[in-house]
Amino acid sequence: MDHDLRQSLNDELHGRTGLAITAPTRITHLAFTIDEGDAAPWEHLVALTALLGLPPPQEAALHLHMKIPGGLVRFERHGEFYRLAVIAEGKQPSGSEAIDLLPPAWVEGLPGQRLVAIHTHLISARTKSPDDAELMRLFGHDDLAAASVAHGDAQIWTDFRIGPDSFSRWLVQDKGLPPLRLGRVIRRIHEIETYRMMALLALPLARAAQKELRPLEQELHDVIASMTEEKSAEHDATLLARLSVVARKVEELSNRTNYRFAATRAYAALVEKRVTELNETKLRNYQRIGVFLDRRFSPAVATCNAVTARIEGLAQRSERANNLLRTRVDIALEGQNQALLRSMDRRARQQLLLQETVEGLSVVAISYYLISILQKMFEAAGGEWVAAHEGLIKLIGIPVLMLGVWLAIRSLRKRAGS
């Protein structure tokens, strides 16, 4: 019996299939982040088919290739963003881009916030390789990153900048790659840009977190310095309260930044992997793509990783300080409890001694009253024998009576104790 998820899990390998691309081609690549209140990208894609008079997709999917007049649209849905690529095949009019194949109003209404927008021009091997003047005319400056990729079968140029039209640009020249391999090269450079931007979403958060960490680190330093001083229990309680505030703020900061920083590490790893897959070699005097990113993108990722390490280190140090201080407070409380127990023991002994003294006096007092009562009874009897043996009766009766009273009080105390 097949597992319920067998088909869908197997189809994951084939969802993002490569595209066979031939030069010349122009491609516009867009990536949008999605928030909870944004419209569903898939519904907007269905609306495009209605505008273009195409049959709508059969069912909602995470990936879609759709033929449109003059080219192809590719849609991919990811966890926190989606990507849209428009491919215009063949030679295009000067000044036009692939995105011009889509209705402008529909493009303006794409849900989410645009994070990546790239125009990629793919030229064939028959076209002369662009010289410095042509690259200056296309990009507007000479601060470019370039490389020969795929073992020399393609060349790429970019400046990683957003132009006046809000798009960045890549120029790719095919040097004889098969269409599928050329499609994979195009896909890799678009993924480098997309994952690079997604990774950098954490950089403003890291800078803001650095400002929050400084006072927390100073407060922890002050508390630890104060722990070296032996003072009263109230002083330790105050330090413990300050440590609790630091620990709470660090935990809140960690919860607020953990997801974004973890995502940055994952996206940065993907960028590094895609750059490695390009198999770059140096092209004229330009910096390679990997070198450019290593010098300008890697420090930003390192900043996010450093802030993550600072948060984790601060949390660990505050926890250790909290444990040390609680241990000291517990030892002080144990000493106080021992002193209290010794005081209670002394009081119990005093109370026992006082109780025994009171019991002795009670025996005497009760015996005295009983003897007086018996004496009155004997006098009332008025017998000669009683009168003749009064001294003997007192000599024998008083000890017996006192012993009886003492035994009665002792019996009552035992019963009360049980």
Side-chain angles (χ1 to χ4, degrees):
M1 194 174 193
D2 282 348
H3 194 282
D4 295 340
L5 299 177
R6 181 189 175 195
Q7 189 65 46
S8 61
L9 294 177
N10 183 75
D11 292 346
E12 279 294 315
L13 293 177
H14 310 286
R16 298 182 177 95
T17 56
L19 290 178
I21 297 177
T22 57
T25 299
R26 293 193 178 183
I27 304 170
T28 298
H29 175 83
L30 303 171
F32 291 79
T33 59
I34 290 292
D35 295 328
E36 291 185 1
D38 293 326
W42 182 261
E43 296 177 0
H44 200 68
L45 202 62
V46 172
L48 175 64
T49 61
L51 289 173
L52 299 178
L54 301 174
Q58 295 299 319
E59 57 182 10
L62 298 179
H63 326 103
L64 176 68
H65 295 170
M66 183 171 61
K67 282 284 188 179
I68 62 173
L72 177 70
V73 171
R74 176 171 182 153
F75 167 80
E76 292 184 11
R77 182 70 166 91
H78 297 261
E80 54 181 343
F81 68 95
Y82 70 92
R83 300 193 298 179
L84 189 72
V86 185
I87 303 169
E89 300 171 337
K91 189 173 180 60
Q92 301 297 317
S94 178
S96 68
E97 300 293 348
I99 195 68
D100 297 335
L101 296 179
L102 301 180
W106 183 87
V107 174
E108 289 294 328
L110 282 166
Q113 294 180 302
R114 187 174 63 179
L115 186 65
V116 178
I118 307 170
H119 288 320
T120 302
H121 290 187
L122 176 59
I123 58 179
S124 67
R126 294 187 298 273
T127 304
K128 180 183 176 182
S129 295
D131 55 19
D132 294 341
E134 291 176 353
L135 293 172
M136 177 69 76
R137 190 163 49 252
L138 178 63
F139 290 98
H141 56 86
D142 59 358
D143 184 17
L144 305 178
S148 178
V149 300
H151 304 289
D153 289 334
Q155 295 177 347
I156 57 177
W157 294 264
T158 187
D159 60 354
F160 291 103
R161 295 185 181 183
I162 298 175
D165 59 352
S166 298
F167 283 81
S168 58
R169 279 173 167 72
W170 286 76
L171 177 63
V172 180
Q173 184 172 31
D174 177 24
K175 290 291 187 177
L177 281 175
L180 279 175
R181 285 193 63 194
L182 184 59
R184 287 196 291 269
V185 169
I186 299 297
R187 180 182 180 85
R188 283 168 187 150
I189 63 177
H190 288 167
E191 287 182 343
I192 287 172
E193 275 286 74
T194 303
Y195 295 141
R196 176 181 70 89
M197 294 295 288
M198 291 300 298
L200 290 178
L201 283 177
L203 186 57
L205 186 62
R207 289 169 176 166
Q210 285 178 324
K211 297 179 181 179
E212 295 183 52
L213 283 170
R214 291 190 191 102
L216 292 176
E217 290 171 335
Q218 184 61 47
E219 176 70 4
L220 180 60
H221 176 271
D222 295 342
V223 170
I224 293 176
S226 299
M227 286 172 57
T228 60
E229 304 173 4
E230 294 290 341
K231 291 188 177 181
S232 63
E234 290 77 9
H235 177 261
D236 289 345
T238 302
L239 292 182
L240 194 59
R242 291 170 62 185
L243 269 179
S244 298
V245 172
V246 171
R248 175 178 57 80
K249 291 183 177 180
V250 171
E251 188 64 25
E252 188 274 334
L253 181 60
S254 177
N255 291 337
R256 184 157 33 94
T257 60
N258 183 65
Y259 171 78
R260 192 73 266 155
F261 289 158
T264 290
R265 291 191 295 273
Y267 288 131
L270 288 172
V271 170
E272 182 179 359
K273 189 174 187 300
R274 296 298 182 267
V275 171
T276 302
E277 290 171 349
L278 287 177
N279 294 316
E280 293 181 279
T281 56
K282 190 172 181 60
L283 179 61
R284 301 208 291 266
N285 293 324
Y286 296 107
Q287 293 185 80
R288 288 184 288 112
I289 304 296
V291 173
F292 188 94
L293 291 176
D294 186 59
R295 292 180 178 177
R296 307 189 185 188
F297 170 67
S298 297
V301 176
T303 298
C304 298
N305 293 336
V307 172
T308 301
R310 284 178 66 184
I311 293 174
E312 293 175 353
L314 186 58
Q316 292 173 359
R317 295 203 311 274
S318 63
E319 183 179 1
R320 288 196 299 267
N322 193 296
N323 291 337
L324 288 173
L325 189 54
R326 284 189 179 277
T327 300
R328 193 166 83 174
V329 170
D330 291 342
I331 291 174
L333 287 175
E334 185 177 351
Q336 293 176 2
N337 291 337
Q338 290 178 353
L340 181 61
L341 289 174
R342 285 194 296 269
S343 175
M344 291 174 62
D345 184 61
R346 285 195 302 270
R347 290 189 179 185
R349 289 178 182 276
Q350 292 173 357
Q351 289 178 356
L352 179 60
L353 181 60
L354 181 60
Q355 182 180 353
E356 290 176 351
T357 302
V358 170
E359 287 179 358
L361 294 175
S362 300
V363 170
V364 173
I366 294 172
S367 300
Y368 175 78
Y369 285 112
L370 287 176
I371 291 171
S372 299
I373 292 172
L374 290 175
Q375 186 177 359
K376 296 293 184 182
M377 292 174 61
F378 288 146
E379 289 178 356
E384 294 181 0
W385 185 88
V386 175
H389 298 83
E390 181 180 358
L392 180 61
I393 292 173
K394 290 181 178 180
L395 181 63
I396 297 173
I398 290 175
V400 172
L401 190 59
M402 293 181 68
L403 178 62
V405 171
W406 179 77
L407 290 173
I409 291 176
R410 185 179 178 185
S411 178
L412 288 173
R413 187 177 66 182
K414 286 183 177 181
R415 283 202 297 265
S418 63

